[in-house]
Amino acid sequence: LQAITRKFLPLDQWLYFDALECLALEGAAQLTEEDCAPRGSRYDGQIAVFGAAFQEQLGHQKYFVVGAGAIGCELLKNFAMMGLAAGPGGELTVTDMDTVALSNLHRQLLYRSADVSKPKSAVAAAAVQRMNPDIRVRAHQNQVGPATELLYGDDFFQRLDGVVSALDTLEARECRGGEWCRAPGRAPRLPSTPGSPQVPTWRAAATAASRRCWTRARRGCEGTCWSWCPQ
């Protein structure tokens, strides 16, 4: 719009951005200059703030991303850039039943015109691997629910460090957080909607059913990342 109309001029000034809350994280005060020294890696910016040990831990993470739509594309891109699952033992699994449609291209940044009609999860996995060749990512085309509980069962969830709900429709979120979550013996699923009043109830039901709990690790604009902490 700006290029066509020439109505708006580019900003000719400094942009100031800070994330000082990162310095208040547990353990940050104990970091030494050596911990944060450059390693000649693409992650030196993160290492300067969080330390090399933190970056190494990121590489070991095993995460499950449910959905490769607009939210999932953004999260997968961020995970690739920050080095999640890009180290020994790390693994990122993404599942989505859908295929790329022409209407997706304007808001789902990992897809191109040549990808139309291809499985979203496979295209997204290939895209983030081009961004970061070290990332270990697997693509599934499965719905997460009662029909696939043998695939996504207790053994699958117990080896994970985190689960990300990147479902971008209310219907899908309600489906994932409904009867499957409450069924005894099934892996717990909690809603990704920030501030949902149902979270305490669902957390209790899931813990009672499978003796495990989920804690909120990080909240994005539209989704919530839940960390795994076995009891």
Side-chain angles (χ1 to χ4, degrees), residues 201-216:
T201 303
W202 289 6
R203 186 197 303 276
T207 302
S210 301
R211 294 185 179 180
R212 63 173 69 134
C213 70
W214 297 86
T215 57
R216 183 174 302 183

Side-chain angles (χ1 to χ4, degrees), residues 21-226:
E21 63 272 15
C22 295
L23 300 179
L25 294 177
E26 183 179 355
Q30 286 74 46
L31 291 174
T32 65
E33 184 175 349
E34 183 180 354
D35 294 331
C36 301
R39 266 66 174 176
S41 100
R42 64 184 298 163
Y43 311 118
D44 278 349
Q46 288 176 183
I47 292 173
V49 178
F50 302 108
F54 177 86
Q55 187 62 47
E56 183 178 357
Q57 186 177 4
L58 275 183
H60 299 327
Q61 297 298 293
K62 295 180 176 66
Y63 262 65
F64 183 37
V65 179
V66 184
I71 300 172
C73 283
E74 186 66 25
L75 289 171
L76 289 168
K77 178 262 295 180
N78 289 341
F79 289 161
M81 293 296 96
M82 66 193 292
L84 187 81
E91 186 175 69
L92 187 61
T93 303
V94 55
T95 188
D96 196 306
M97 297 174 62
D98 203 2
T99 56
V100 179
L102 187 62
S103 60
N104 299 148
L105 302 183
H106 73 286
R107 69 185 187 280
Q108 299 180 16
L109 59 92
L110 298 181
Y111 308 132
R112 301 293 183 265
S113 299
D115 300 324
V116 171
S117 299
K118 296 179 182 179
K120 283 187 176 181
S121 59
V123 176
V128 297
Q129 280 188 315
R130 289 194 297 271
M131 294 178 179
N132 186 345
D134 294 329
I135 193 170
R136 294 166 168 81
V137 57
R138 293 194 304 165
H140 292 180
Q141 286 86 51
N142 304 313
Q143 183 181 20
V144 181
T148 56
E149 64 179 5
L150 292 180
L151 178 61
Y152 304 122
D154 287 349
D155 290 342
F156 176 81
F157 282 97
Q158 283 173 352
R159 67 183 184 84
L160 295 176
D161 295 297
V163 178
V164 179
S165 174
L167 299 168
D168 52 9
T169 66
L170 181 60
E171 292 79 6
R173 290 180 179 184
E174 289 177 344
C175 177
R176 293 287 69 75
E179 59 183 20
W180 182 39
C181 169
R182 294 190 290 270
R186 291 177 180 169
R189 286 288 299 111
L190 292 177
S192 67
T193 307
S196 171
Q198 296 173 297
V199 169
T201 303
W202 289 6
R203 186 197 303 276
T207 302
S210 301
R211 294 185 179 180
R212 63 173 69 134
C213 70
W214 297 86
T215 57
R216 183 174 302 183
R218 178 182 175 192
R219 178 183 293 176
C221 295
E222 298 181 77
T224 299
C225 173
W226 298 89

